[in-house]
């Protein structure tokens, strides 16, 4: 009875340009990178809400990734990595266009009405989508305990969404989660995340994780650059907390966390790695309270604990 997602077999790996996955054990170094990634990304939801008080949704995204793209571009110039093969170009493009530009645009637009903690729980439908895509495209599969853990975590996310929708002691502005365009936009961002996770996994056979991440930053920043002049104009009158939020987003959740996430994906099967992201919503809810005063509900806390419990089942019951 296996609960660990299986890597592609030799034949299926060769068919999609991958080598068989190595090193299935979760070592201490990889776990530390996962923890750093989850904490930083959890903080991004509150930072976006803070940044939206000073910038428009697309302008905030343009400012965020223009900051991240500078050191990322310098890294590529200094290391001079191997150019992508012709059949890899679309995978690099997908990372920049989907995982950076479109993901950021959809999430920022959605968070205009969706509180930070609730947005984090909606985004974290991503591991379910990733598990399905990875099963079909990468040959990765969950055993019985893997799917049980996923169901427990997903139920916790559903409990949070239901509580927010009912508006019982709602998080954030006091209006609860508005299941309209805002929530649908955040769901669209989750889909972008899942697609990119699966599409870019084969790149780690030939390219370093930091090379992939830096390329994503540069391509995404270029895609968002039409909104950069507007961001500059808005920055002239933006309050200091909004400016600091944009700077934080550019350095930590973008430059640092995107890099650490690609390192995680280079060491672990895509579906299993994505399950760690279930830890982000409870942290985002806590940070939303500390940073923005968004008070979580009792049922929300229970849902968060269920999400964490599902992660434990998937990754410890082997």
């Amino acid at each position: 009875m296996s609960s660990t997602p299986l890597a592609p077999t030799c034949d299926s790996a060769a068919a999609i340009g991958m080598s068989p996955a190595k090193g299935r054990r979760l070592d201490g170094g990889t776990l530390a990178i996962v923890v750093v990634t989850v904490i930083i990304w959890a903080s991004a939801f509150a930072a976006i809400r803070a940044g939206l008080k000073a910038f428009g949704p697309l302008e905030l995204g343009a400012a965020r990734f223009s900051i991240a793209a500078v050191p990322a571009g310098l890294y590529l110039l200094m290391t001079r990595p191997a150019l992508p093969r012709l059949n890899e170009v679309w995978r690099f493009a997908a990372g920049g266009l989907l995982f950076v530009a479109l993901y950021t645009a959809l999430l920022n637009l959605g968070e205009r009405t969706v509180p930070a903690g609730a947005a984090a729980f909606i985004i974290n439908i991503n591991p379910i989508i990733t598990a399905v895509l990875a099963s079909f495209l990468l040959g990765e599969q969950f055993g019985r305990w893997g799917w049980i853990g996923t169901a427990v975590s997903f139920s916790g996310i559903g409990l949070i969404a239901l509580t927010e929708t009912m508006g019982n002691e709602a998080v954030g502005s006091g209006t609860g989660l508005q299941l309209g365009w805002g929530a649908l936009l955040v769901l669209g961002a989750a889909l972008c995340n899942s697609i990119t996770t699966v599409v870019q996994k084969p790149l780690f056979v030939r390219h370093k994780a930091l090379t992939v991440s830096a390329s994503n930053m540069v391509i995404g920043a270029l895609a968002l650059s039409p909104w950069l002049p507007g961001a500059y104009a808005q920055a002239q009158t933006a309050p200091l907390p909004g400016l600091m939020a944009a700077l934080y987003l550019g350095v930590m959740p973008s430059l640092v966390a995107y890099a650490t996430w690609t390192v995680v994906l280079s060491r672990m099967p895509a579906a299993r790695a994505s399950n760690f992201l279930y830890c982000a919503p409870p942290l985002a809810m806590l940070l939303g309270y500390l940073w923005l005063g968004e008070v979580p509900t009792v049922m929300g806390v229970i849902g968060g604990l269920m999400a964490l419990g599902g992660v434990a089942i998937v990754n410890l019951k082997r």
Side-chain angles (χ1 to χ4, degrees):
M1 181 177 62
S2 171
S3 64
T4 304
L6 301 177
T9 63
C10 294
D11 291 339
S12 65
I16 58 174
M18 293 180 63
S19 63
K22 297 180 287 185
R24 204 68 91 245
R25 203 172 224 356
L26 180 60
D27 60 273
T30 301
L31 179 60
I33 296 172
V34 169
V35 171
V36 169
T37 304
V38 170
I39 292 175
I40 295 175
W41 264 348
S43 69
F45 295 96
I48 289 171
R49 292 276 286 178
L52 288 173
K53 296 178 181 179
F55 296 91
L58 297 179
E59 288 78 9
L60 178 61
R64 169 182 178 177
F65 285 102
S66 66
I67 295 170
V70 173
L74 290 175
Y75 170 81
L76 293 175
L77 289 174
M78 292 171 59
T79 58
R80 297 182 180 274
L83 293 175
R85 294 170 180 166
L86 189 60
N87 63 348
E88 294 175 330
V89 171
W90 73 276
R91 296 185 187 275
F92 276 97
L97 298 177
L98 292 180
F99 195 32
V100 175
L102 187 57
Y103 173 92
T104 300
L106 292 175
L107 181 58
N108 288 3
L109 287 166
E111 281 208 51
R112 289 184 300 176
T113 57
V114 179
F121 278 99
I122 296 172
I123 278 290
N124 274 266
I125 196 176
N126 158 54
I128 306 297
I129 303 172
T130 301
V132 175
L133 293 177
S135 178
F136 284 104
L137 301 179
L138 300 182
E140 298 179 7
Q141 298 177 1
F142 278 149
R144 182 176 63 184
W145 281 105
W147 285 112
I148 289 174
T150 298
V152 171
S153 290
F154 188 74
S155 297
I157 293 172
L159 182 60
I160 280 291
L162 179 61
T163 304
E164 295 289 345
T165 304
M166 293 171 62
N168 296 328
E169 299 177 11
V171 172
S173 62
T175 59
L177 174 61
Q178 301 175 18
L179 285 180
W181 286 108
L184 292 177
L185 290 168
V186 177
L187 281 172
L191 180 59
C192 291
N193 191 335
S194 298
I195 292 173
T196 308
T197 297
V198 176
V199 165
Q200 291 205 315
K201 177 81 172 166
L203 293 178
F204 303 128
V205 175
R206 183 168 176 262
H207 301 275
K208 294 180 179 180
L210 291 180
T211 298
V212 176
S213 176
S215 299
N216 288 347
M217 296 297 105
V218 173
I219 295 171
L222 290 174
L224 290 167
S225 61
W227 290 273
L228 195 55
Y232 178 78
Q234 292 174 6
Q236 305 305 307
T237 57
L240 183 59
L243 290 174
M244 296 304 296
L247 179 61
Y248 176 82
L249 285 167
V251 175
M252 298 304 291
S254 302
L255 187 64
V256 175
Y258 271 70
T260 55
W261 178 240
T262 55
V263 173
V264 171
L265 287 178
S266 71
R267 298 183 180 185
M268 298 176 62
R272 186 179 176 208
S274 292
N275 270 275
F276 279 104
L277 297 182
Y278 278 127
C279 297
L283 288 172
M285 183 174 288
L286 175 61
L287 292 171
Y289 169 71
L290 295 175
W291 191 340
L292 305 172
E294 296 179 344
V295 182
T297 68
V298 173
M299 296 302 291
V301 173
I302 294 174
L305 293 175
M306 289 175 64
L308 291 175
V311 174
I313 293 173
V314 171
N315 294 286
L316 298 180
K317 185 68 177 179
R318 307 187 58 178

